[in-house]
Amino acid sequence: MCQSVLQDPAFFAFLLCIDQDHATTVRSQGCSCGGPLHQANYERKPRLGGRAEDTTRFSFCCGNCRRRCTPESVRFLGRRVYWGAVVVLATTLCSGLNLRRGRQLSQQLGVPVRTIQRWRQWWLAGFTLTAVWRDIRGRFLPAVAESCLPGALLSRTMAKDERGVMATIMRWLAPLSTVTEGR
């Protein structure tokens, strides 16, 4: 898997369409109190790739109880300031690298080495405690080794091209875009 997918505007447009579909579904369901959901989008400022129109985070606010409802996203991974695909790819590429190669990767992606190391630690410790991981790991036989995340997910995903692989992974991770347990 190479980082060419991060330079592909069609990939980010595809992810935007998925997020728009999620938002439409959530809005049509309405609030749990029975009230209507009104548009309450906000702008994110993700680093690397994408286009300016791709930075809107879809969100709604109930007309009755004023509760905010933010649908899952395949573009954003929690509150991280980088695109979700960048987090997945950078941590996949850094697995097993020495310091010199880690610095090269950092320069290529424009992500500080310490940030990539922090993401790697999250994949190995924080992510493995989430309900999302418990769901995903049951899809693979033989089991995916936690020490090889997220690269093992990328290599075991059945898709025909890089774009499809990344989109599948981001769909699996979408619940982490709204839940604080995924940080």
Side-chain angles (χ1 to χ4, degrees):
M1 170 78 46
C2 67
Q3 59 260 32
S4 64
V5 74
L6 299 178
Q7 307 303 324
D8 183 6
F11 173 68
F12 286 96
F14 178 59
L15 294 182
L16 177 63
C17 287
I18 294 170
D19 276 1
Q20 288 170 333
D21 287 345
H22 284 164
T24 301
T25 301
V26 167
R27 189 170 195 182
S28 67
Q29 292 171 350
C31 183
S32 59
C33 77
L37 292 178
H38 301 292
Q39 203 77 36
N41 297 342
Y42 55 95
E43 292 300 315
R44 295 282 307 264
K45 295 179 185 175
R47 299 179 187 163
L48 303 176
R51 301 178 312 226
E53 63 267 20
D54 295 342
T55 61
T56 299
R57 181 67 163 100
F58 300 114
S59 191
F60 305 99
C61 184
C62 178
N64 290 343
C65 68
R66 306 303 299 162
R67 183 176 299 147
R68 182 172 282 275
C69 179
T70 305
E72 295 178 354
S73 174
V74 294
R75 296 174 297 148
F76 306 106
L77 188 57
R79 298 180 63 179
R80 290 170 181 83
V81 296
Y82 291 88
W83 294 101
V86 172
V87 174
V88 172
L89 222 65
T91 50
T92 298
L93 294 172
C94 83
S95 180
L97 291 181
N98 61 32
L99 187 59
R100 188 179 116 261
R101 292 276 296 131
R103 286 188 186 135
Q104 288 175 341
L105 175 64
S106 171
Q107 289 173 347
Q108 286 175 336
L109 292 177
V111 179
V113 174
R114 286 183 57 197
T115 299
I116 295 174
Q117 290 171 338
R118 192 173 56 251
W119 291 344
R120 178 86 179 127
Q121 194 57 39
W122 174 78
W123 278 103
L124 298 176
F127 175 71
T128 58
L129 300 175
T130 65
V132 171
W133 170 241
R134 287 190 298 275
D135 178 52
I136 292 172
R137 73 178 176 193
R139 299 173 189 221
F140 297 102
L141 199 63
V144 172
E146 291 179 356
S147 62
C148 298
L149 290 172
L153 293 178
L154 291 169
S155 64
R156 304 271 298 272
T157 302
M158 299 295 191
K160 295 180 181 175
D161 60 359
E162 293 173 351
R163 200 173 125 187
V165 169
M166 283 302 298
T168 300
I169 298 296
M170 296 314 299
R171 280 186 175 130
W172 289 342
L173 300 176
L176 296 175
S177 67
T178 60
V179 181
T180 56
E181 78 169 336
R183 281 190 221 162

